[in-house]
Amino acid sequence: MRIFQILALTLGYHVSFAVDLPLRINSGGPATDGWVAGDVYLKQEGKPFEIRGRHDVSGVSDPAPNRIYESVQHRDHSYEIPLPAGTYRIRFHFTDRYSRDRKMDYRVNDQLVIDDLSIFAAAGGTMRALILEMVT
């Protein structure tokens, strides 16, 4: 399964340093605009990839800066984020430049939270932002 995502959080349980909230992770890129670099919490690395250009954010509420949508982490990868047990709001930011119908799964604390997501289909096209939000 190929993972192609902008922001994904896997909540960890080993607290080794303080985490300021809200935590924003630029999954495939460097720290920018209040977002930390994707490799800070990366536990299993996929492959960073760039999608340069303007991304259509007109269909989402409270989008990330365009620079965040220009870098992604794809292929299987995971994050470990040292947060205490609790309830958290998680926002996944996605974009895709391919018009193929690729299906991807996303897990938080080993629980499937997004099943068979086609970013292209859900966003309504290529280079269009998609934000999925949940409380866990």
Side-chain angles (χ1 to χ4, degrees):
M1 173 172 304
R2 299 182 84 185
I3 303 296
F4 208 99
Q5 64 189 19
I6 296 302
L7 174 68
L9 301 180
T10 301
L11 305 179
Y13 55 88
H14 299 291
V15 178
S16 58
F17 55 92
V19 174
D20 292 326
L21 298 176
L23 176 62
R24 295 176 175 96
I25 301 173
N26 184 10
S27 182
T32 185
D33 298 320
W35 293 64
V36 299
D39 60 356
V40 171
Y41 298 102
L42 200 57
K43 181 178 177 183
Q44 174 191 345
E45 187 170 357
K47 182 176 179 179
F49 189 80
E50 290 190 350
I51 306 175
R52 294 284 182 190
R54 179 62 51 196
H55 296 262
D56 179 1
V57 296
S58 64
V60 297
S61 176
D62 195 21
N66 190 71
R67 178 68 188 119
I68 301 303
Y69 295 105
E70 289 185 322
S71 60
V72 301
Q73 187 77 236
H74 69 112
R75 297 191 179 151
D76 289 342
H77 61 283
S78 64
Y79 295 88
E80 185 168 8
I81 302 166
L83 294 171
T87 301
Y88 296 91
R89 180 177 70 130
I90 302 171
R91 299 184 83 216
F92 293 87
H93 293 252
F94 302 96
T95 191
D96 200 342
R97 74 175 183 180
Y98 297 106
S99 58
R100 295 185 299 243
D101 189 29
R102 302 181 293 166
K103 306 284 185 172
M104 293 161 254
D105 295 339
Y106 297 86
R107 297 178 177 277
V108 174
N109 288 335
D110 294 323
Q111 299 296 312
L112 184 66
V113 295
I114 300 172
D115 187 29
D116 286 339
L117 174 66
S118 167
I119 297 168
F120 168 75
T126 61
M127 303 289 279
R128 298 188 69 180
L130 170 67
I131 298 175
L132 299 179
E133 186 173 317
M134 66 195 61
V135 175
T136 182

